[in-house]
Amino acid sequence: VIMIDAMDVMFGGCQRDIVKTFDSLGHKIVIGAEFGCWPPDGVCSKHPELFPIHNPLPNFRQHVACDFTCGRSPGYRYLNSGFIAGRAGDLARMYAKSEREDPLWLQRGRPGTPSGLNDQAVVLNAFVKYRRELNMTLDYEARLVVNMQRMLPSSFH
């Protein structure tokens, strides 16, 4: 299963087999990576070991508009829930664990329900808590998709 929100994620590997590339990463769940940590509530600073500096796109450095959410060295090191890939059962386990912690997370933002939580926060929380148990990783090297969050239009010329 591949879930893409398509707001800031681009797949450009028309000549690649995305399933083979996913399998080659050796993890059950692969989540997109981006330049900045969102939501900026301290999770990334509390767990820096989860977000090592990776910069698979060194030529893009001049095309990144980093803000307060970026690390000191731009690179794909933070989770972006705009791309999530995994087998259906593995993703169901991840979301079941998330739902146990916050039973209303899927309904937040709908009329009559509490607001304030988004899918990125839920997936980031799951990654921090269950990454080993569920064999999760980020697409640090942009092997599956390129995340365009914080990239300037000049990046694509």
Side-chain angles (χ1 to χ4, degrees), residues 38-139:
W38 188 263
D41 61 2
V43 171
C44 298
S45 61
K46 290 177 191 170
H47 301 280
E49 73 282 1
L50 301 182
F51 307 104
I53 296 173
H54 287 269
N55 195 4
L57 308 169
N59 297 333
F60 279 67
R61 186 176 296 246
Q62 70 269 17
H63 300 292
V64 177
C66 275
D67 57 18
F68 68 97
T69 66
C70 290
R72 67 185 180 281
S73 177
Y76 279 171
R77 61 187 290 202
Y78 299 108
L79 179 144
N80 181 291
S81 64
F83 175 84
I84 303 173
R87 304 291 189 273
D90 296 320
L91 294 174
R93 280 186 281 287
M94 180 186 76
Y95 285 115
K97 288 182 175 294
S98 298
E99 187 172 20
R100 276 194 294 267
E101 290 186 35
D102 182 3
L104 295 177
W105 81 266
L106 280 174
Q107 300 166 11
R108 291 190 185 275
R110 293 182 184 166
T113 63
S115 61
L117 189 64
N118 62 38
D119 66 312
Q120 179 114 339
V122 169
V123 176
L124 179 59
N125 186 50
F127 182 72
V128 168
K129 291 184 176 185
Y130 306 116
R131 69 196 173 284
R132 287 190 181 98
E133 177 185 342
L134 298 177
N135 193 11
M136 302 166 74
T137 192
L138 303 185
D139 186 11

Side-chain angles (χ1 to χ4, degrees), residues 3 30 33 38 41 48 65 104 110 117 140 145-146 151 156-157:
M3 297 182 294
V30 179
W38 188 263
D41 61 2
L104 295 177
R110 293 182 184 166
L117 189 64
Y140 293 113
V145 294
V146 172
M151 289 179 131
F156 306 100
H157 293 275

